[in-house]
């Protein structure tokens, strides 16, 4: 008789034993015995067959009584995992979250896939962090970095310029919509948002309207973690630990049709979400507002796509009250929505575009701000200086990688690939609506979210304990064990966010959909059992 078990080395010299059923496993026992006793000889990470150590068989009692030889999946915590847990403060991560499992260490990547330290393969369904547009393992991007490092590894653009930055700025200006002909390069997207905040305020001072300091953004939106960008962010759980923040950051309604109280019950959107911007401008006093910051398609809340006419109404309102419109495209630019810039998909002209992530496909850190000639004009005076800069802004190696990344976009028509295949991705994901846990499936391009509900008819929401169990206790570990990396997120209502590399196609979509169907169906049954 054969049965497959998973054994993991525990912290206190024991072994965690899990019974595998198909792609999933259930923790059935923790076996604590002599420090150097082992279930198999020799002890190593891997898969195979072996004879259980007598102490293991005894500790498990009847569970293993009929199984002298078992197939096993033995996972030893690596030295890297242990050092990561001890020394590496991981971002947005619970430090106490690794009490019963090791820190996952991603060792390498190729195409749409990554491998962990044990050699297990995963489909990168989030493109790292909405970033790896052209896929992992692109040697030409590493070669571009090495070549530039050998030529000029670093020099600032504080009164100087270098060829990689000049080339990149020229190419981006040619690609950007309208008169966005100036490029300010930063180390990251958060730095780019902070730069846009500063530029909008100094612009109005140079225009003789220093009272224009307020900033408007949307509820639930995420714009970064520095204090200025965090003030724009509309996610309470991220903001609260650091308050008070920068004053004058105003929030307006988010286009969230699935749960819209104004028009969710109607056949079409009334654009009340866009008109809320005008109401807030009138309330605050339009001559006190510097700029409006919005994403083309909002990430937090779950791929909240704008309704038809939304962006045209927003642009009209900004023009009416002479307020700058900043399009935060840290996620949406560079092909994520099938265009080089997300604003092109929705047909609106921003005064500034914030970008990062996909400009280098994550192979080097870089962000930036596209700026219209109108905003640059007051800074063309003899003594005018934009009082902003960063040591690693416009880093020559990062700029060289970005130029090589744009070469791939052009050579392989990455944006065209997204437009040609997004319908297939949408169709496959929409097929999951029959699963009881699935309330809504939404998104565009290669950016989708699945909102989870307790009841499809009532769109029932989860209490905090149930959301914690569902997302972190059930879905996240099972999706990872099944070989899919995505995000189970509850910064708003619980959603699963998907954002695969832009080179993904039918094979990857089928794996994503089949994995989600299995795990979400099991989760629906588990939730029903939990609720009794």
């Amino acid at each position: 008789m054969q049965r497959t078990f998973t054994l993991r080395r525990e912290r206190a010299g024991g072994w965690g034993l899990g019974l595998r059923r198909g792609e999933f496993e259930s923790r059935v026992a923790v076996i604590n015995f002599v420090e150097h006793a082992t279930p198999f000889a020799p002890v190593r990470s891997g898969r195979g067959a072996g004879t259980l150590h007598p102490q293991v068989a005894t500790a498990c009692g009847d569970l293993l009584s009929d199984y002298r030889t078992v197939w096993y999946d033995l996972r030893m915590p690596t030295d890297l995992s242990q050092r990561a847990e001890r020394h590496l403060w991981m971002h947005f991560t619970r430090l106490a979250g690794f009490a019963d499992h090791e820190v996952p260490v991603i060792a390498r990547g190729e195409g749409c896939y990554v491998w962990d330290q044990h050699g297990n393969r995963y489909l990168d369904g989030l493109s790292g962090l909405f970033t790896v547009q052209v896929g992992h393992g692109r040697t030409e991007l590493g070669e571009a970095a090495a070549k530039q490092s050998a030529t000029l590894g670093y020099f600032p653009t504080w009164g100087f310029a270098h060829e990689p930055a000049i080339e990149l700025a020229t190419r981006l200006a040619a690609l950007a919509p309208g008169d966005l002909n100036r490029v300010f390069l930063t180390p990251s997207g958060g730095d780019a948002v902070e730069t846009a905040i500063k530029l909008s305020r100094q612009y109005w001072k140079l225009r003789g309207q220093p009272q224009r300091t307020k900033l408007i953004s949307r509820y639930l939106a995420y714009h970064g973690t520095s204090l200025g960008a965090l003030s724009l962010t509309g996610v309470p759980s991220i903001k609260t630990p650091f308050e008070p923040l920068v004053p004058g950051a105003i929030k307006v309604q988010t286009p969230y049709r699935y749960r819209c109280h104004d028009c969710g019950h109607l056949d079409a959107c009334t654009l009340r979400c866009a008109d809320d911007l005008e109401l807030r401008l009138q309330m605050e006093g339009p001559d006190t507002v510097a700029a409006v910051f919005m994403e083309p398609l909002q990430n937090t809340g779950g791929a909240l796509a704008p309704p038809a006419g939304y962006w045209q109404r927003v642009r009209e309102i900004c023009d009416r009250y002479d307020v700058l419109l900043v399009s935060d495209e840290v996620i949406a630019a560079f092909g994520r929505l099938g265009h080089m810039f997300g604003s092109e998909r929705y047909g609106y002209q921003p005064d500034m575009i914030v970008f990062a992530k996909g400009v280098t496909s994550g192979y080097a850190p870089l962000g930036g701000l596209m700026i219209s000639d109108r905003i640059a004009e007051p800074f063309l005076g003899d003594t005018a200086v934009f009082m902003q800069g960063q040591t690693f802004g416009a880093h020559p190696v990062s700029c060289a990688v970005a130029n090589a990344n744009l070469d791939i976009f052009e050579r392989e028509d990455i944006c065209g690939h997204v437009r040609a295949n997004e319908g297939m991705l949408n169709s496959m994901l929409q097929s999951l609506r029959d699963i009881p846990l699935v309330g809504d499936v939404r998104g565009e391009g290669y950016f989708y979210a699945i909102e989870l509900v307790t009841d499809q008819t009532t769109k029932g929401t989860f209490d905090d304990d149930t959301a914690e169990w569902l997302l972190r206790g059930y879905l996240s570990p099972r999706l990872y064990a099944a070989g899919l990396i995505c995000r189970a997120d509850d910064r708003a209502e619980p959603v699963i966010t998907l954002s695969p590399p832009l080179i993904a196609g039918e094979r990857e979509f089928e794996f994503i959909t089949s994995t989600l169907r299995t795990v979400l169906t099991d989760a629906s049954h588990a939730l029903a059992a939990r609720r009794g």
Side-chain angles (χ1 to χ4, degrees):
M1 300 176 68
Q2 292 183 347
R3 182 173 291 183
T4 302
F5 296 88
T6 296
L7 294 105
R8 288 189 176 89
R9 194 75 163 97
E10 301 294 321
R11 294 183 174 186
W15 296 88
L17 179 65
L19 173 61
R20 292 183 64 83
R21 295 180 176 88
E23 292 296 325
F24 308 103
E25 68 178 62
S26 300
R27 181 85 166 244
V28 295
V30 175
I31 313 150
N32 292 309
F33 49 94
V34 180
E35 172 69 26
H36 298 292
T38 60
F40 306 105
V43 179
R44 61 182 178 82
S45 294
R47 297 180 175 88
T51 302
L52 284 174
H53 190 285
Q55 286 177 285
V56 177
T58 301
C60 291
D62 294 338
L63 178 65
L64 298 177
S65 60
D66 294 330
Y67 302 90
R68 294 179 181 275
T69 300
V70 299
W71 290 87
Y72 65 90
D73 179 355
L74 178 61
R75 303 178 189 175
M76 294 283 290
T78 65
D79 177 59
L80 284 174
S81 294
Q82 293 170 338
R83 284 191 284 142
E85 184 179 353
R86 178 65 184 90
H87 300 294
L88 181 62
W89 199 315
M90 290 161 279
H91 298 193
F92 286 103
T93 299
R94 297 178 181 179
L95 295 184
F98 302 100
D100 61 353
H101 65 91
E102 67 180 8
V103 176
V105 178
I106 302 302
R108 68 181 183 92
E110 182 178 344
C112 294
Y113 300 89
V114 294
W115 283 258
D116 69 12
Q117 72 270 42
H118 300 298
N120 299 308
R121 189 181 80 162
Y122 305 89
L123 191 145
D124 183 4
L126 203 62
S127 298
L129 198 61
F130 314 98
T131 298
V132 189
Q133 316 293 64
V134 300
H136 298 277
R138 291 281 194 161
T139 57
E140 59 264 59
L141 298 185
E143 290 165 357
K147 182 178 179 181
Q148 183 57 45
S149 295
T151 303
L152 179 67
Y154 173 76
F155 211 81
T157 54
W158 295 41
F160 297 90
H162 48 70
E163 185 175 356
I166 297 168
E167 177 69 15
L168 179 59
T170 302
R171 295 176 76 172
L172 291 176
L175 291 168
D179 69 338
L180 302 179
N181 292 313
R182 299 277 179 167
V183 184
F184 190 103
L185 295 167
T186 67
S188 70
D191 291 315
V193 171
E194 203 77 20
T195 298
I197 293 172
K198 288 184 172 182
L199 182 59
S200 64
R201 286 187 168 185
Q202 190 175 351
Y203 166 79
W204 287 115
K205 285 181 170 60
L206 292 176
R207 286 278 306 272
Q209 300 183 55
Q211 78 281 3
R212 284 186 178 263
T213 60
K214 294 177 183 176
L215 307 165
I216 294 179
S217 57
R218 293 189 293 210
Y219 179 63
L220 294 181
Y222 175 84
H223 292 285
T225 56
S226 59
L227 287 182
L230 192 59
S231 300
L232 293 178
T233 293
V235 185
S237 61
I238 296 176
K239 297 158 60 81
T240 303
F242 311 106
E243 292 175 336
L245 299 173
V246 177
I250 314 302
K251 302 295 176 289
V252 295
Q253 190 172 332
T254 296
Y256 188 1
R257 182 160 171 75
Y258 182 67
R259 294 193 181 276
C260 181
H261 297 296
D262 295 309
C263 61
H265 60 291
L266 302 176
D267 293 335
C269 178
T270 62
L271 294 184
R272 168 68 179 78
C273 48
D275 291 336
D276 191 44
L277 172 61
E278 184 166 29
L279 292 175
R280 290 310 302 248
L281 280 167
Q282 293 172 347
M283 184 182 300
E284 296 295 327
D287 62 348
T288 68
V289 177
V292 172
F293 286 72
M294 294 180 177
E295 299 166 89
L297 183 150
Q298 186 168 306
N299 172 29
T300 306
L304 298 173
Y310 175 86
W311 275 111
Q312 288 65 40
R313 183 76 60 85
V314 167
R315 180 72 263 185
E316 290 170 5
I317 293 168
C318 288
D319 289 343
R320 186 177 306 137
Y321 295 98
D322 198 17
V323 174
L324 303 181
L325 177 58
V326 182
S327 187
D328 184 345
E329 305 195 15
V330 169
I331 291 177
F334 304 104
R336 181 57 53 191
L337 301 179
H339 299 268
M340 289 303 290
F341 295 97
S343 48
E344 294 179 288
R345 175 158 190 140
Y346 301 116
Y348 67 95
Q349 179 62 50
D351 298 302
M352 291 184 266
I353 292 177
V354 175
F355 65 87
K357 293 185 183 289
V359 67
T360 64
S361 285
Y363 283 69
L366 186 67
L369 183 63
M370 304 294 305
I371 306 156
S372 75
D373 290 337
R374 176 171 71 95
I375 295 175
E377 191 275 332
F379 293 89
L380 297 178
D382 290 341
T383 60
V385 177
F386 177 37
M387 302 303 292
Q388 170 74 336
Q390 300 107 355
T391 299
F392 294 113
H395 194 287
V397 175
S398 295
C399 291
V401 172
N403 282 314
N405 186 56
L406 291 179
D407 289 342
I408 295 173
F409 265 79
E410 294 172 2
R411 184 171 66 247
E412 300 182 14
D413 189 16
I414 297 295
C415 292
H417 178 81
V418 172
R419 293 194 300 272
N421 289 278
E422 65 173 316
M424 183 193 310
L425 175 59
N426 176 64
S427 178
M428 289 186 183
L429 293 177
Q430 295 294 342
S431 72
L432 300 173
R433 286 181 176 271
D434 64 303
I435 300 172
L437 199 59
V438 174
D440 194 24
V441 179
R442 55 181 179 259
E444 293 185 314
Y446 273 29
F447 187 10
Y448 273 82
I450 300 170
E451 183 166 335
L452 308 177
V453 294
T454 60
D455 183 275
Q456 289 182 330
T457 302
T458 64
K459 303 180 183 179
T461 59
F462 296 86
D463 60 56
D464 291 344
D465 289 342
T466 304
E468 174 75 14
W469 166 81
L470 177 64
L471 295 181
R472 296 174 184 85
Y474 196 97
L475 290 177
S476 292
R478 282 164 176 77
L479 288 167
Y480 186 72
L484 176 61
I485 294 176
C486 55
R487 172 185 277 178
D489 185 11
D490 63 348
R491 289 177 295 177
E493 295 302 325
V495 296
I496 293 175
T497 301
L498 297 159
S499 180
L502 305 187
I503 59 172
E506 184 174 5
R507 178 183 176 185
E508 288 75 30
F509 299 161
E510 287 177 346
F511 177 80
I512 289 171
T513 305
S514 63
T515 301
L516 288 172
R517 175 166 291 283
T518 298
V519 176
L520 289 174
T521 298
D522 289 347
S524 294
H525 297 325
L527 178 62
R530 178 183 171 92
R531 298 170 65 187

